[in-house]
Structures are given as C-alpha cells and as structure tokens.
Amino acid sequence: IMKFGCNPDSTLSTLTTNNAPLIQNIVDYLATRGGGRIYTPAPQVAGAVYGIQKPDATTACVTVTTDSICFSGDGPASIWKTYLDEDIPLHFSTEPDITVLILGGDPVADFEVYGMHIKGTGNYTNFGLSKGRGILFRNAKNVSVHDNTITDMSMIGVVSEHGDGYFRVQNNQIHDCLYSAINYNGRCYQSIISGNVCSGSNAEVNALSIQVNGHCLITGNTVLGDMSLPGNAGGIGIGEGDFDGIVTVNNNLVKHCLFGVKAIFHGASNISNNTFINCIGQGGIVLSGVTTGGFTVANSDNEVSSNLILNCQPFGIDCSSEDTVLSSNVIRTFTPIKNPSIASEPDFIVGVTTTQGVRIRASGCSITDNKISGCGNGLTTTIDFVNGVIGGNDFKNNTNDYSLESATSGVFAATGHAVVEREYASPQKYRERIFRTTRPAQGYFDLSSEWADPTPAIGAPVGEIVLFAKQTTAAVGEPAGETVIELDDTTGWFASATATVVGIELDNGAWHWTTFSVVSSPNITIDVAIPGGRSVPVGGQVWYNSWRPLADLA
C-alpha cells in the first residue's frame, strides 16, 4: 500500500499542480512488484483537490496496463480533478493509447477502485470512444468499482469499452456525467450493477444513465432523469450487442426519464419488481423486437412481472418482442396527485396522460393478472395479434379498457369498458371473451369470439358469438361520401341488419367502422359513407365480422 503524498490544489477552477506524473510513477513501480494499492487521503486543506492532467493527446491522466493495481481514498473529499473535457482520470487497459482500437488479446484483470471522488469539468462534449470518461476499462475483467463519487464528466462516469466480464459496480454516487453514468460498450457477463445513485445524464436525446450488454444483474439502483426535459435522459438500456445476452433487472427506481428500461437487439430479459415514475417520451418499459443494420438478434422471450409503473407516457409497457410474458404488473395514472414537494424537487410527480397502459405489437405474448387504471386505453393489441393469451387482467377507470391497433399506426378501434380474455383456438387463430354492457361496434374479432352480457335478462340472449370473420382489401380507391366499396374478394360475405361489422382502412391509417346492408360481388354497400376529407386507398385493408346471438337466458 502506498500513500499518495502530493500537494493538492487549493482551487477547483485552475490547475496549479499536476499530480498525474507522480501517480503514474507509483503505478509503474507497483507494476514491477506484481501489484498494490495507491491510497489518496483527503487533503488537509478544506476544499482542496488533487489536480491531474493527461501527458499528451493519446493518453489518459493515469494509465494501468498490468494486473492487480488498486486505488482508494477517504470518500467524497478525496477529489481527483480534471481540467480538460477530454481528460480520462483513470484508464485500465492492455493498450495505453486511447486512440488505438483493441481487437483482442488477453485482458488485464483484478482491479479495485473505492473511496475516490473523480470530478470532471462539467462541460458536455460528445466524444467518440475513450475521451471524457471518469474511470475507463478497455479489454479488462475482474473489476470492482464501489463506494466512489463520480461527477461532472463530459461523457461517462464508469465505462467498459471492448471489455469482458466479472465487473462489480456498486454503491457509487454518479451525478452529472452528461452522457451516461455507467456504460458497457462491450460485454459485461457475470457482472453486478447495484446500489448506485445516478442523476444528470441528460446532455442529449441519446443520453442514458445505465447501459449494459451481456449476462448481468442490475439491481437496487436509483436513477433520476431531468424533470424539465425527460426526453434527454434514458433510464436503463439493455442491448445493442447483437447477441443473446440474458439480463436481470430488478428492484430499481427510475424517475423522470425518457424510458424506465429499454431492451433492444439483445436476446431475453427478466424485468421484475422495479418502480418507474414519470418516464415520459417512450414509457415505463420498452421491449423492442426489431433488427436493423448489423444487428440481427431481436429482443424476445422476456419475463416482465410485478413492476410498479406510475404516470408514465405514452405507454406503461410497450412490447414488440415476441413470446414475452407480462404478469402482475401495476400500471397506474394518478389524478389528482398530492405531492410532498414543489415541482423542482426530485420527489415531485408530474401529472400526465398514459395513452396506452400496455401495448402489444408481437405474437405469442401472454398478458395476465395485470392491474391497469387511469389510462386512455388500458390494453392495446394489433388487429392481427395471434398465438397470445390475455386473461385475468383488472381494468379500472380507463377511457377504454381494450383497443385494437393497425400494424403501422395508432389506435383505431376500442371496445370501451371491458374485460377481455383471449386463448388459442388453433395455430394462428384465437378467440376472445369480451365482458361489457354492449357488443363492440368496432374492432375485428376472430372466429368463435364471444361477447357476454354481464347483466342478461330472462328471455334474452346471454351474448353473441362471431360466426363469420373475413379479411380482404379494397380493389379500387374510393372517395369521401362513397357508400359502395369494391373489394378484391367477397367470398363468404353476407349482410345482416343488426350484427355485421366492417372496418375499412382510410388513407391516413385511421379506420372507418360501420355496418353494411348489401353484398353484390365484388361490392358491398356500407351504411355510413366514407367521411369527408378522407378516402379509401387501393389495397386498403377491409375486415368483416358477423355476430349471432347465443341462447336465451331461461
């Protein structure tokens, strides 16, 4: 153990003593001894700092290229202060030149940093790889970074680039590191990120507090975004690794961010027992099943359970990832809100409108036993959602409990206040049971779906069932005011005075729902004309249901 005995600076604004060369000499000496620890005590002068600066444009302030070198201090008062936006206070790597991309080789290993305060300039500069990082690991593993304070870095607080795994990043205070607090630009397998308090990563729309790739555990962290500009502060990001990483995210608190947690290009995730408040812009939980460019792995097969999602907008949960289970989550919009503090305080809760509590845009998803309240639309699925299960969900005080959405645009049909249960009828087919006071006048329901009247009368049907369900497209364009629609196929279509429902896709992606009274192949005559200002495009989708009464209640 070597106690660092340099003279500290007496000011935060001007570098008067560059301590980096002596620290580097100590690091190099310990490397010849097989490792050791450098202890930086709190300066004896109140408010003083250890000023450091890099020796040249390609090197960090202090660089470690051998194993088993550790750093420690006395806590927040042991400040290492940089004076250039691009400076890197601590760099652990097989390659000291930060401009050289590391493509492989044996990693350096076995490091610990604790009780330190790393402080940057507080200025945001969007550097590419390596510059403006507080503690940087490149091609490293077996790392422990705990109980530090890291503030005001121009880019990132703690980062691994071209890294491996076995990282422990715990119980750090990481504030105003302007692009990210903790960021793994590379794998972080068998790693733990826990107990960290992160805030102020909000310099631009791509900023986010914690980003990971790989098989790791993210637990017990507190993330605070920007109450006045949440769109510039992502919460916890999983992915952009293009491999099947399996990540566990639990017991975190994320507030005032663009999203609470977002998974993309990265296998499966277990997201449970988190609290997300005022995640505004993308919502509480975002599961993206897309692939693009060089990313070929789509997020899927997630377990999302027992999360508390409050006043998030526009979605509580937005899922386009296949074969995902969503269970026992609470998605709620509070109105009115009783706050303990004024609007500038972190515990303030902002009133919002949650457009959709749960939005499902992928097949094979199971949505069960969730509580959804105070939303515009409680549960939204696409009109062609298949091979999924919906059941046991509790809806309360939503404008519409269940709604349907097109494959490319917004909500186009809602059943109103309803409890919806969905189950398999056969491969690629499903049936639904809808509980509400009236049969839905909008929306497409597959064959054998049922509406159950919750208050049936003696001698009246207990509900209705879909006996015919058809899909086709418009053969020609139709203008506003038109009532005759030419279809590509009318096979199996027939009119009923009371129980036919047809949905026609309009030129703006919205849908026109009505009934039809005449079928004369290839035309149908609808009862409510195409609305003014709109038209039906060639190839627009046309959906048809025919409902029939069930038995009378004896």
Side-chain angles (χ1 to χ4, degrees), residues 145-228:
V145 179
H146 63 92
D147 298 289
N148 299 286
T149 300
I150 306 169
T151 59
D152 300 315
M153 296 308 302
S154 62
M155 280 294 287
I156 305 172
V158 179
V159 59
S160 169
E161 296 173 0
H162 324 293
D164 287 284
Y166 305 106
F167 284 81
R168 182 169 70 96
V169 181
Q170 295 180 295
N171 302 325
N172 300 285
Q173 295 277 338
I174 307 178
H175 303 293
D176 299 315
C177 295
L178 295 170
Y179 190 83
S180 288
I182 302 167
N183 189 299
Y184 288 87
N185 192 355
R187 295 177 298 163
C188 56
Y189 56 78
Q190 306 311 114
S191 294
I192 300 173
I193 302 172
S194 70
N196 301 286
V197 181
C198 307
S199 71
S201 296
N202 58 7
E204 62 166 74
V205 295
N206 293 317
L208 74 164
S209 284
I210 300 174
Q211 179 173 340
V212 299
N213 295 313
H215 304 179
C216 65
L217 172 64
I218 307 170
T219 183
N221 301 284
T222 297
V223 174
L224 177 66
D226 188 329
M227 288 182 289
S228 63

Side-chain angles (χ1 to χ4, degrees), residues 280-339:
I280 299 172
Q282 295 185 10
I285 298 174
V286 182
L287 306 169
S288 179
V290 302
T291 59
T292 186
F295 295 111
T296 60
V297 176
N299 177 255
S300 66
D301 299 276
N302 303 287
E303 171 73 27
V304 180
S305 63
S306 302
N307 297 285
L308 179 61
I309 303 170
L310 302 177
N311 284 52
C312 293
Q313 201 278 329
F315 313 110
I317 300 174
D318 184 14
C319 175
S320 59
S321 299
E322 293 185 350
D323 302 317
T324 288
V325 174
L326 308 177
S327 66
S328 302
N329 299 286
V330 175
I331 300 102
R332 180 173 180 181
T333 302
F334 281 99
T335 303
I337 305 163
K338 185 174 182 180
N339 279 296

Side-chain angles (χ1 to χ4, degrees), residues 200-428:
S201 296
N202 58 7
E204 62 166 74
V205 295
N206 293 317
L208 74 164
S209 284
I210 300 174
Q211 179 173 340
V212 299
N213 295 313
H215 304 179
C216 65
L217 172 64
I218 307 170
T219 183
N221 301 284
T222 297
V223 174
L224 177 66
D226 188 329
M227 288 182 289
S228 63
L229 194 63
N232 274 24
I236 299 172
I238 304 167
E240 299 192 15
D242 199 36
F243 54 85
D244 285 306
I246 314 300
V247 175
T248 296
V249 181
N250 61 36
N251 295 302
N252 301 282
L253 170 63
V254 183
K255 297 177 63 179
H256 304 300
C257 288
L258 175 65
F259 53 80
V261 61
K262 182 176 183 178
I264 187 169
F265 309 140
H266 195 273
S269 303
N270 184 318
I271 302 169
S272 61
N273 296 292
N274 302 283
T275 299
F276 304 112
I277 304 172
N278 278 144
C279 295
I280 299 172
Q282 295 185 10
I285 298 174
V286 182
L287 306 169
S288 179
V290 302
T291 59
T292 186
F295 295 111
T296 60
V297 176
N299 177 255
S300 66
D301 299 276
N302 303 287
E303 171 73 27
V304 180
S305 63
S306 302
N307 297 285
L308 179 61
I309 303 170
L310 302 177
N311 284 52
C312 293
Q313 201 278 329
F315 313 110
I317 300 174
D318 184 14
C319 175
S320 59
S321 299
E322 293 185 350
D323 302 317
T324 288
V325 174
L326 308 177
S327 66
S328 302
N329 299 286
V330 175
I331 300 102
R332 180 173 180 181
T333 302
F334 281 99
T335 303
I337 305 163
K338 185 174 182 180
N339 279 296
S341 302
I342 62 175
S344 60
E345 295 295 324
D347 55 356
F348 191 84
I349 300 176
V350 180
V352 301
T353 299
T354 303
T355 306
Q356 297 171 58
V358 177
R359 181 196 198 202
I360 303 296
R361 297 169 61 81
S363 64
C365 294
S366 174
I367 308 101
T368 60
D369 301 315
N370 300 283
K371 293 183 178 295
I372 306 170
S373 63
C375 302
N377 294 281
L379 171 62
T380 299
T381 66
T382 56
I383 200 165
D384 52 357
F385 173 69
V386 295
N387 296 344
V389 176
I390 299 173
N393 299 289
D394 184 6
F395 298 95
K396 183 179 180 181
N397 297 328
N398 303 295
T399 303
N400 298 294
D401 291 333
Y402 180 57
S403 57
L404 296 171
E405 186 176 33
S406 71
T408 57
S409 58
V411 176
F412 63 80
T415 66
H417 296 289
V419 176
V420 179
E421 294 192 355
R422 172 177 290 205
E423 63 184 16
Y424 289 112
S426 64
Q428 297 296 311

